[in-house]
Amino acid sequence: MTSTSQEAPRTTTSHPRVVLAILCLTQLLLTLDDNVVNIALPTIQRELGFSGPSLVWVVNTYMLAFGGFLVLGGRLGDRYSLVRTFAAGTAVFALASLLSGLAAEPWQLIGARALQGLGAALVAPAVLGLLTLVFTEPAARAKAFAVWGATAVTGALAGLILSGVITEYWSWRWVFFINLPVAALALVLLPRLLRGIHRPDGEQALNWGGAALLTCGLALLVYALLSFGGDGGRPAVAAACAVLSLALLAAFAVDQRRSANPLVTKGVFASPVRARALAAAVLLSAATFQGFLVLTLYLQNGLGFTPLEAGLGYVPFALGSLTGVKAGERATVRFTAGRVLTVACAGTAVGALLLSWAASREFGYAGLLPGILLFAIGVGAGLPAAASAAARDADERTSGVIASLVNSSQQLGGAVGLALTGLSLGGSGRGFGAALAVCAAAALLACGWAAVVARREPLASPSS
């Protein structure tokens, strides 16, 4: 008789909706913490005594650790089980959130934010990988990816509003403490609901040398992009980091070809659409992040909105993104993710052009609405479609690392968007129309890659 440890893992759960809700709530926390501290930064600076240049690293340290460790986090999930990696990452994230809220010195907050990013890098690939394994039917998978995409898009919007409300009526420390009950719920319920859902691939040892090369290369690349996009940074240092990061990534590529145990499992890029879908995701994420940030600056610095008014000004964006998510879900089942991604990127580009025109002509908020809605619909449909195309044919041995590559493409795209924002706003910091035009160009490039995905993707919807 076959022992229990040798039995094939389950691929279903009796409570898929509960699992989906927990996974997406956890993903929401990760997205919130990308920017939930933004509005609270002035208060944090006053209370903890941050200097101006060091304050930005409250945000950047989280992005740096998150982006740098994502692929390693995904490979750990494949090696030791996605469920275990999810639990470990959530525990680290919760501990770091507690330490962030209790911080009394600047170095304590920055260190805790780095630990938060590390926890997020373990959780994010596990979330997407588990969605891929639990929801295998085309319609169910499309719906799960749509909800995941809506969580990712609306989390950034909710972060601004939530940060403003918490900072004004409570304390900035609760920006971090609110993570604790959700993390506790996930730690208690999810391992029970998904017991046996994923058997770890324990046959191959982890390539720690390749992991070090990739993690350092990605971290330096994100650092360089963040530095290029910052105010008054050191361009020579940023350029040196960019060159070093490319050298490390090239060494990683050589290591992968020679290693018997590559960090990125062999065959991951055998799919003719995966690399193109990831490239499209980087560019669409860059356009999304840049458009979001430039619009936020324009509402406050150009139109004179208060932070709370600017947050409420994003309500149409949220409605548009949810509309795009729902439309994209239905279209992905009927057509293919690549075709949906192509149309979505084109819509995002047109929306960004409308925003650029309205900002340049100073039409006011009403003049921004058509562009906001079209941009949001495109993003809402496009990001889940890119993830769905990239995750096509993922299995137990590759679901974690593929999920990490999807998340890495979005984090890298966010860093690219931040760099483009800093460069395109100009010396005055008020070149809103030009910055939004650059955003449109990024979306158009994403559309080009998406068209290649659509041409190479089989007409049949993925079934596994």
Side-chain angles (χ1 to χ4, degrees):
M1 181 178 295
T2 304
S3 66
T4 303
S5 62
Q6 294 175 323
E7 292 177 357
R10 292 189 296 118
T11 56
T12 59
T13 175
S14 57
H15 302 284
R17 292 185 178 180
V18 178
V19 169
L20 179 62
I22 294 173
L23 289 174
C24 288
L25 273 175
T26 309
Q27 179 67 39
L28 180 65
L29 294 186
L30 309 187
T31 310
L32 282 173
D33 277 73
D34 260 334
N35 67 353
V36 73
V37 299
N38 286 357
I39 291 179
L41 284 178
T43 305
I44 292 174
Q45 184 177 22
R46 288 194 302 270
E47 291 194 13
L48 297 188
F50 272 92
S51 65
S54 65
L55 185 64
V56 68
W57 289 101
V58 176
V59 177
N60 287 359
T61 301
Y62 177 82
M63 293 183 64
L64 188 63
F66 194 176
F69 286 97
L70 265 170
V71 176
L72 177 58
R75 187 66 186 95
L76 288 171
D78 290 333
R79 177 68 172 77
Y80 297 107
S81 157
L82 292 172
V83 177
R84 291 177 182 173
T85 307
F86 176 91
T90 302
V92 171
F93 186 85
L95 174 62
S97 298
L98 178 63
L99 294 175
S100 296
L102 295 175
E105 298 289 340
W107 66 267
Q108 294 173 351
L109 181 56
I110 290 177
R113 287 286 283 169
L115 189 62
Q116 257 193 328
L118 175 60
L122 295 174
V123 173
V127 168
L128 192 54
L130 288 170
L131 287 178
T132 302
L133 293 179
V134 171
F135 300 94
T136 57
E137 294 299 318
R141 178 174 287 186
K143 183 179 180 66
F145 272 87
V147 175
W148 172 85
T151 301
V153 173
T154 58
L157 306 178
L160 289 176
I161 300 173
L162 191 62
S163 178
V165 171
I166 289 175
T167 303
E168 183 170 351
Y169 294 106
W170 290 292
S171 164
W172 64 267
R173 298 181 185 276
W174 282 96
V175 166
F176 301 105
F177 291 152
I178 58 173
N179 295 336
L180 300 180
V182 177
L185 180 69
L187 283 171
V188 170
L189 292 182
L190 201 70
R192 297 174 181 271
L193 294 172
L194 294 181
R195 184 178 291 115
I197 204 74
H198 178 226
R199 182 174 58 196
D201 175 21
E203 298 178 0
Q204 293 185 341
L206 194 64
N207 181 352
W208 288 105
L213 288 171
L214 181 61
T215 300
C216 293
L218 286 176
L220 282 171
L221 182 58
V222 173
Y223 175 83
L225 290 168
L226 293 173
S227 299
F228 277 126
D231 295 327
R234 293 175 291 178
V237 174
C241 288
V243 171
L244 182 57
S245 73
L246 294 178
L248 290 173
L249 293 175
F252 169 75
V254 172
D255 174 83
Q256 294 298 283
R257 286 197 298 268
R258 296 177 176 176
S259 175
N261 301 310
L263 186 67
V264 178
T265 310
K266 290 180 179 178
V268 164
F269 288 109
S271 166
V273 304
R274 185 163 292 130
R276 284 85 173 178
L278 291 172
V282 170
L283 291 165
L284 181 59
S285 297
T288 302
F289 194 93
Q290 184 186 7
F292 181 77
L293 180 56
V294 173
L295 186 57
T296 300
L297 294 172
Y298 179 63
L299 290 177
Q300 296 185 66
N301 299 338
L303 299 183
F305 281 26
T306 66
L308 185 57
E309 288 171 340
L312 294 175
Y314 270 100
V315 171
F317 195 109
L319 296 176
S321 65
L322 293 175
T323 301
V325 165
K326 192 64 178 177
E329 171 200 335
R330 294 176 178 174
T332 299
V333 175
R334 183 173 179 181
F335 303 105
T336 64
R339 286 162 174 77
V340 173
L341 178 59
T342 304
V343 175
C345 290
T348 303
V350 174
L353 286 174
L354 290 175
L355 287 171
S356 174
W357 183 52
S360 300
R361 297 297 183 93
E362 299 183 355
F363 286 157
Y365 182 73
L368 295 172
L369 282 175
I372 288 175
L373 290 172
L374 189 55
F375 187 89
I377 290 171
V379 169
L383 290 179
S388 181
R392 182 185 179 90
D393 299 327
D395 57 26
E396 286 192 343
R397 294 172 61 88
T398 61
S399 56
V401 72
I402 290 173
S404 71
L405 291 172
V406 172
N407 281 283
S408 291
S409 68
Q410 295 182 352
Q411 287 296 117
L412 182 59
V416 171
L418 181 60
L420 290 175
T421 300
L423 294 172
S424 58
L425 282 173
S428 66
R430 302 182 66 87
F432 304 113
L436 289 166
V438 172
C439 170
L444 281 175
L445 290 174
C447 186
W449 280 109
V452 177
V453 173
R455 285 199 301 269
R456 291 177 173 266
E457 192 176 26
L459 289 176
S461 297
S463 59
S464 60

